[in-house]
Amino acid sequence: VRDKVRELIDIGFGHPRVDPMHTNGQRDKLQLVNQVVILDPSIGPRRRSCLEFRGILLCQELLLPLLSLAGTCELEVDDGINYQGFLNYMLSAGFGVFAGIDVALSVQRGIEALGRSCDDLFESVVDDMRTLSQNFLSFVGRAASGENDRQWEFRHHFYAHGELPWLTKDGTKRSVLHALGAITEAGGMSSIVEMVKV
């Protein structure tokens, strides 16, 4: 599927490394939507008709394999091709309607695979994390605001309460000073001086 995506982006946008969702005004010569939706004068003026077999073929050959790779965190590789952008291009164009159940199942399998990966990663660090906090396992679900609140059945994540001023989403920018300040503000330590002593 990677070779197909690379060739289609090259044909449609003039270079294989273009993001189909952000073309900077470059014309989309691929026009995939126009390959499956056409004006059909036989059913009335300005009426459109879907070429279902073409849509199903595009789903089977491109959309479903890309969704499968996305679900197992294998979509992006270090070749400079924006597979995520092409997947977004197909989804935003509405190609999912041609294989609705298969798309839904693929997304569900992806969510389950990501959940398993999260559990595996959690299990790999849980013993080390216990040295930092005896309550490490309590970070499952959200904090309840009342007795009858329904709990979320998945692990708490980095951005459960919004953006963190000391850590970017991709982890490239980190600020130890801001992190220490956040721990102090949360009451984990009484002061940064106490933290330094630890």
Side-chain angles (χ1 to χ4, degrees):
V1 72
R2 293 186 194 286
D3 291 338
K4 293 173 188 172
V5 169
R6 188 179 304 111
E7 288 177 32
L8 285 170
I9 293 175
D10 192 23
I11 291 168
F13 301 97
H15 194 280
R17 289 184 170 78
V18 172
D19 179 354
M21 295 300 289
H22 302 95
T23 60
N24 297 326
Q26 192 172 357
R27 201 170 124 244
D28 175 7
K29 292 184 278 182
L30 199 56
Q31 298 285 316
L32 277 184
V33 172
N34 293 334
Q35 304 301 321
V36 295
V37 179
I38 59 168
L39 286 174
D40 188 350
S42 68
I43 58 174
R46 304 202 43 84
R47 298 296 301 247
R48 289 171 178 78
S49 180
C50 287
L51 302 174
E52 193 170 346
F53 291 120
R54 287 184 184 183
I56 291 170
L57 178 67
L58 286 167
C59 279
Q60 289 174 342
E61 295 295 317
L62 295 169
L63 184 60
L64 293 172
L66 289 172
L67 283 171
S68 179
L69 288 171
T72 55
C73 296
E74 299 175 79
L75 184 60
E76 295 296 341
V77 292
D78 292 329
D79 63 358
I81 309 299
N82 194 322
Y83 301 102
Q84 178 68 48
F86 191 81
L87 175 58
N88 289 343
Y89 171 78
M90 291 199 73
L91 289 171
S92 66
F95 280 94
V97 300
F98 293 103
I101 293 173
D102 290 329
V103 168
L105 289 173
S106 184
V107 169
Q108 183 62 37
R109 282 192 295 268
I111 291 169
E112 290 168 1
L114 290 172
R116 284 191 299 274
S117 294
C118 181
D119 286 341
D120 291 345
L121 287 171
F122 181 81
E123 292 304 321
S124 71
V125 299
V126 69
D127 290 334
D128 293 333
M129 292 305 290
R130 278 198 184 103
T131 62
L132 299 175
S133 169
Q134 292 303 313
N135 296 322
F136 184 62
L137 292 175
S138 69
F139 289 104
V140 175
R142 65 180 174 85
S145 59
E147 284 183 26
N148 297 325
D149 281 356
R150 186 167 171 261
Q151 297 294 308
W152 292 342
E153 297 177 357
F154 51 83
R155 306 232 184 269
H156 221 65
H157 54 86
F158 285 127
Y159 291 93
H161 303 284
E163 296 277 335
L164 299 174
W166 48 271
L167 178 67
T168 58
K169 286 183 180 179
D170 60 4
T172 55
K173 293 182 183 174
R174 305 171 191 168
S175 169
V176 174
L177 181 61
H178 283 103
L180 295 175
I183 292 170
T184 304
E185 286 174 18
M189 296 278 183
S190 61
S191 69
I192 293 180
V193 174
E194 181 186 351
M195 238 177 285
V196 173
K197 287 179 182 175
V198 173

